[in-house]
Amino acid sequence: MTPPVNIAGIDQTLLALADPTRRAIIARLSKGEARVTDLAEPFDMSLNAVSKHIRILERTKLVHRRVEGREHFLTFNSKPLDETLKWMEAQRSFWSARLDLLDKILRAEDEMPVPKRKKNLKKKGKRI
């Protein structure tokens, strides 16, 4: 039996990944821990704007924050992404099997002989 799926968590993960800035932050964090100020540097936006993106990633648990004094360090957490990928793979497997079955049925139907139709000949509005 498969464990229950957290659809709300998957929705939040997909929404978080929908933004290119957040994907860039995750890509950088996949290489290792980084300070918030270092993450914000390559973006043409304020530190406050980048912080809002980071908060969204933290809510989805894709990013974990560690505070040392005044410094905030972020790390990437792949678990929500792994759960989303697992759900997507299950959906792909389910629909592939269903579509393969439909394809088999349609091919079998195409191979069936077509019954010949009787020609209706009309003469002066009457059938012969």
Side-chain angles (χ1 to χ4, degrees):
M1 183 174 176
T2 49
V5 176
N6 178 3
I7 295 296
I10 291 169
D11 289 347
Q12 292 303 311
T13 299
L14 292 172
L15 283 170
L17 295 172
D19 186 85
T21 300
R22 293 191 287 268
R23 288 194 306 270
I25 290 169
I26 288 174
R28 167 52 190 89
L29 290 175
S30 69
K31 297 175 185 172
E33 185 178 69
R35 295 180 321 152
V36 172
T37 52
D38 294 336
L39 280 174
E41 191 176 305
F43 299 106
D44 189 25
M45 60 180 79
S46 68
L47 181 60
N48 189 39
V50 173
S51 292
K52 288 180 181 181
H53 285 290
I54 291 170
R55 278 194 294 277
I56 291 169
L57 292 170
E58 286 178 301
R59 270 187 252 142
T60 61
K61 297 181 174 46
L62 285 165
V63 169
H64 174 73
R65 184 184 302 254
R66 179 176 61 84
V67 180
E68 263 185 40
R70 297 182 76 188
E71 297 290 333
H72 292 239
F73 295 91
L74 301 173
T75 54
F76 172 60
N77 175 26
S78 67
K79 188 176 178 186
L81 188 57
D82 294 339
E83 290 172 358
T84 301
L85 291 172
K86 185 177 176 182
W87 176 82
M88 292 172 90
E89 178 58 33
Q91 294 301 308
R92 187 183 70 77
S93 295
F94 171 79
W95 286 108
S96 290
R98 302 286 295 206
L99 292 172
D100 288 346
L101 180 60
L102 177 61
D103 183 56
K104 184 178 177 181
I105 291 168
L106 293 174
R107 287 181 190 276
E109 188 178 277
D110 286 345
E111 291 173 4
M112 291 176 61
V114 179
K116 293 183 180 181
R117 293 184 177 177
K118 293 181 181 178
K119 292 184 180 179
N120 290 331
L121 300 175
K122 292 184 180 181
K123 187 174 185 182
K124 296 184 182 179
K126 294 183 182 178
R127 289 187 183 182
I128 303 176

